[in-house]
Amino acid sequence: MFRISEQYLHEITEQESIVADLPLNARVIGFCCTGTIHAEGKADVKLLESGRDAVFTVNSRGNGQASIRGRRGPIVAYGDAWGPFESTTYVSFDGRRFTHDRTEPRATVTGKLRRVTGHRDRPIGRLIGRGVEPIAKKMLPDAICEAQPIANRYLSEYIRELADRITSRLNQTMPIEASINRLFPETRDWVFHMSSDRNYLQAAYGPADATVPSLPEVPAEMKEVKIEVWLRSTGEEAELLAQASRSPLASQLTQRYLESSLPELAAIAKERTIDAVGEWVLIRVGQGELPSLQRALPSLRGSLGQ
């Protein structure tokens, strides 16, 4: 069983900042509008509880602004638009790959008209512009209303690109299937049983008709662990391996074994610990060595295939 922590997903997401300058080209109340949308914000993740899927959301929030030039026939209007934005993108993990699904954009647009002139911005054009400016100001609420879905479309396209980068990073660092096939080559016909809770995405690997065991409740400090790997063994073998890993020489040998057997996971972080939890060997990859779970957690009963 593999468990991916929300903390790890958040660290990957934080590497992708939201700072963008997007070229604007849209038609609003008959005006051909051009300009640049500048947006800044941040993104985080939230795991969704599910007994059948491993799902989380990438949530972004920030602010955007744009200076806009709109032309309609011989008339040109200059204005500014700004407002906050939020979005939610759903990401799933099937044990092999992360993929993002739908994005729900929520942008709020506010705007003001700066001036109206002729398309060549000469004195006669500016004079005409001052004459039609009161009419243009009355059209501003309609322009903002039409701009709302346009802003959501631009936001959605950008956030989907952001989600592409995040899932690409995760897929590069999370080749779970390769690790399993290396450790257990005789189980290639097994399947992933997926689930998620508030702290972890979980991929349990076993026969299609297997019952997924319930793991012991982890203490709060376990959230700092990036990846957990639960390998079923016997209680005696698990305890012997856990005890051996605590001596300096044996610990170095164990670390080298993990690096050769699970190189993809070992590369995620330099600190790894091994503990015995009932008949399971628990390998943790993350930051900070944590105390042994042998005394802190109850024995685990049940396993895949039972």
Side-chain angles (χ1 to χ4, degrees):
M1 298 179 68
F2 290 79
R3 303 217 298 170
I4 305 167
S5 73
E6 183 182 57
Q7 176 66 29
Y8 179 63
L9 298 174
H10 184 68
E11 288 178 9
I12 295 295
T13 301
E14 276 191 326
Q15 296 176 26
E16 296 292 344
S17 59
I18 299 178
V19 179
D21 289 299
L22 307 176
L24 170 66
N25 192 337
R27 182 176 292 273
V28 179
I29 58 171
F31 283 81
C32 294
C33 298
T34 58
T36 300
I37 304 171
H38 178 75
E40 293 187 16
K42 59 190 303 184
D44 58 25
V45 300
K46 180 180 179 181
L47 269 62
L48 305 181
E49 296 187 53
S50 172
R52 300 183 60 182
D53 302 294
V55 185
F56 65 96
T57 58
V58 176
N59 308 298
S60 69
R61 61 186 57 83
N63 290 280
Q65 60 184 25
S67 294
I68 302 169
R69 178 184 186 272
R71 179 176 176 178
R72 183 174 178 178
I75 302 299
V76 175
Y78 293 88
D80 300 299
W82 65 92
F85 65 82
E86 294 181 351
S87 72
T88 301
T89 300
Y90 293 83
V91 181
S92 61
F93 180 53
D94 64 2
R96 295 175 174 84
R97 292 188 61 80
F98 290 86
T99 55
H100 62 87
D101 192 6
R102 70 184 188 279
T103 293
E104 299 174 353
R106 298 177 296 277
T108 301
V109 179
T110 304
K112 70 176 182 180
L113 179 68
R114 278 192 278 119
R115 68 187 184 97
V116 181
T117 183
H119 70 281
R120 294 181 180 177
D121 200 19
R122 293 177 176 176
I124 185 65
R126 291 192 287 269
L127 179 63
I128 295 173
R130 284 194 292 270
V132 301
E133 188 169 318
I135 300 174
K137 287 183 177 179
K138 290 182 179 180
M139 299 170 66
L140 185 59
D142 291 336
I144 292 175
C145 184
E146 283 194 23
Q148 192 72 49
I150 295 172
N152 281 328
R153 174 169 57 84
Y154 274 85
L155 174 60
S156 182
E157 291 173 356
Y158 176 79
I159 295 301
R160 283 199 294 268
E161 293 177 2
L162 175 70
D164 278 338
R165 297 196 299 269
I166 292 173
T167 55
S168 177
R169 283 180 180 271
L170 288 169
N171 287 327
Q172 289 173 7
T173 62
M174 199 60 56
I176 288 178
E177 188 174 26
S179 299
I180 290 177
N181 289 337
R182 188 181 303 108
L183 288 175
F184 310 106
E186 72 281 0
T187 62
R188 293 180 185 273
D189 59 337
W190 285 9
V191 299
F192 285 104
H193 302 263
M194 308 305 300
S195 62
S196 56
D197 58 27
R198 291 177 297 176
N199 298 319
Y200 290 94
L201 300 178
Q202 179 170 291
Y205 195 58
D209 59 350
T211 299
V212 179
S214 297
L215 297 177
E217 184 178 351
V218 295
E221 60 266 26
M222 285 291 292
K223 191 175 182 181
E224 298 178 5
V225 173
K226 297 181 179 181
I227 307 293
E228 289 185 353
V229 183
W230 296 71
L231 302 175
R232 185 171 183 260
S233 180
T234 65
E236 182 179 358
E237 290 175 344
E239 181 59 27
L240 287 174
L241 181 58
Q243 289 180 358
S245 68
R246 297 186 187 107
S247 66
L249 178 58
S251 177
Q252 292 181 21
L253 293 175
T254 302
Q255 296 295 339
R256 296 297 178 268
Y257 172 76
L258 291 178
E259 290 170 1
S260 62
S261 300
L262 300 169
E264 300 89 356
L265 299 179
I268 291 175
K270 294 182 178 180
E271 298 185 21
R272 309 129 197 167
T273 60
I274 300 177
D275 287 288
V277 184
E279 58 186 0
W280 292 77
V281 175
L282 170 58
I283 303 171
R284 296 175 293 194
V285 180
Q287 299 180 6
E289 185 172 341
L290 303 176
S292 173
L293 294 182
Q294 186 63 34
R295 298 183 300 272
L297 296 178
S299 296
L300 176 64
R301 301 186 183 277
S303 64
L304 283 173
Q306 291 186 332

